[in-house]
Amino acid sequence: MSSPTPDAKTALFVPCLTGAVFARDADAQRKLLALSGYPGSDTLAAFCCGQPAATAGDAAGSATMGRAFAAFAAAYDAVFVASATCCAHLRQADSGGDRVRYAPEVWVERIKARSEQAEIPIYLHRPCHDVWDETQFRDYERWVAETANVRVIARPCRDPCCGFGGVFSTLFDRTAEAMMAHRVGAIAEAGAAVVVSAEPGCLSHFAAHAGGLRVVPLATFLVSRGIA
């Protein structure tokens, strides 16, 4: 899906977990959107995409949130979403239709800046319910490496899930904690000191069990590396 035209009326959707755990990342997202040619995007009034309710089995509640999102989105040509699972859920539920744009897709297409900071190793986390297929994620991975001047370590464990899983980490907290402890240990042993992702749900789970690892949302990390 191509990026919106520069004259498009745009908004930024700030997912509930971004607002609750990584509130400053919304400002970093705006800086990257401005660098991409979309300064002054409004903040979409919707609070939640409905994905947490869906994973909890509340289909009716999720549908209600989806309709609210679609109603707010209807006022815009494009709504940028910097959460992989939120964007995937919105597209699957057809909440907002073609207006819903995964913000990192736009950044990959439009941002050509390169960090001049020294190279560092990072773990770039991919959520289980990603909006991208394998080929798209690998292209994104290469873009992050080139843009931020980082070495992206390979996933050091077979299990792709961090243990968050929406309400899974609440209902099965000990299992989720064990899954994260295994992952954090493997990441640290592989040499990465920073965990980066465009998925605030997974990152909130990482942050709660990170030990000595830094946990940083993608937009905040790129800005900290001198991009925008």
Side-chain angles (χ1 to χ4, degrees):
M1 185 179 295
S2 61
S3 298
T5 58
D7 60 345
K9 185 179 181 182
T10 62
L12 172 65
F13 171 61
V14 181
C16 48
L17 274 171
T18 297
V21 185
F22 304 104
R24 293 184 179 179
D25 192 56
D27 291 335
Q29 292 175 28
R30 290 186 180 283
K31 289 180 180 180
L32 295 181
L33 287 173
L35 184 60
S36 301
Y38 307 102
S41 293
D42 294 340
T43 299
L44 195 74
F47 169 72
C48 183
C49 68
Q51 188 263 351
T55 59
D58 183 7
S62 177
T64 298
M65 294 178 195
R67 287 192 294 271
F69 181 98
F72 288 120
Y76 298 94
D77 299 313
V79 176
F80 300 116
V81 181
S83 161
T85 57
C86 287
C87 189
H89 174 77
L90 288 165
R91 287 179 177 176
Q92 183 178 21
D94 197 25
S95 300
D98 291 342
R99 295 181 179 86
V100 176
R101 302 297 180 92
Y102 187 37
E105 287 181 344
V106 176
W107 301 337
V108 168
E109 180 180 335
R110 289 182 170 263
I111 293 177
K112 309 301 181 185
R114 295 292 183 263
S115 175
E116 296 181 356
Q117 297 181 23
E119 183 184 77
I120 60 171
I122 70 165
Y123 175 64
L124 186 64
H125 176 68
R126 182 183 185 186
C128 302
H129 302 287
D130 198 4
V131 71
W132 278 331
D133 62 26
E134 186 71 18
T135 299
Q136 290 171 315
F137 185 82
R138 295 307 166 204
D139 290 342
Y140 157 69
E141 188 177 65
R142 285 190 289 271
W143 177 83
V144 170
E146 294 170 0
T147 301
N149 193 29
V150 297
R151 177 172 60 85
V152 179
I153 68 165
R155 190 178 73 209
C157 45
R158 293 177 61 188
D159 182 9
C161 183
C162 70
F164 175 65
V167 297
F168 178 88
S169 59
T170 301
L171 296 176
F172 305 99
D173 54 330
R174 291 185 180 180
T175 300
E177 183 176 355
M179 292 170 70
M180 180 54 74
H182 163 69
R183 181 173 294 272
V184 165
I187 291 170
E189 186 175 344
V194 187
V195 176
V196 178
S197 182
E199 178 42 51
C202 295
L203 279 187
S204 69
H205 189 49
F206 268 104
H209 306 283
L213 293 174
R214 287 176 55 214
V215 178
V216 189
L218 174 66
T220 297
F221 180 72
L222 291 174
V223 170
S224 77
R225 298 289 292 172
I227 308 302

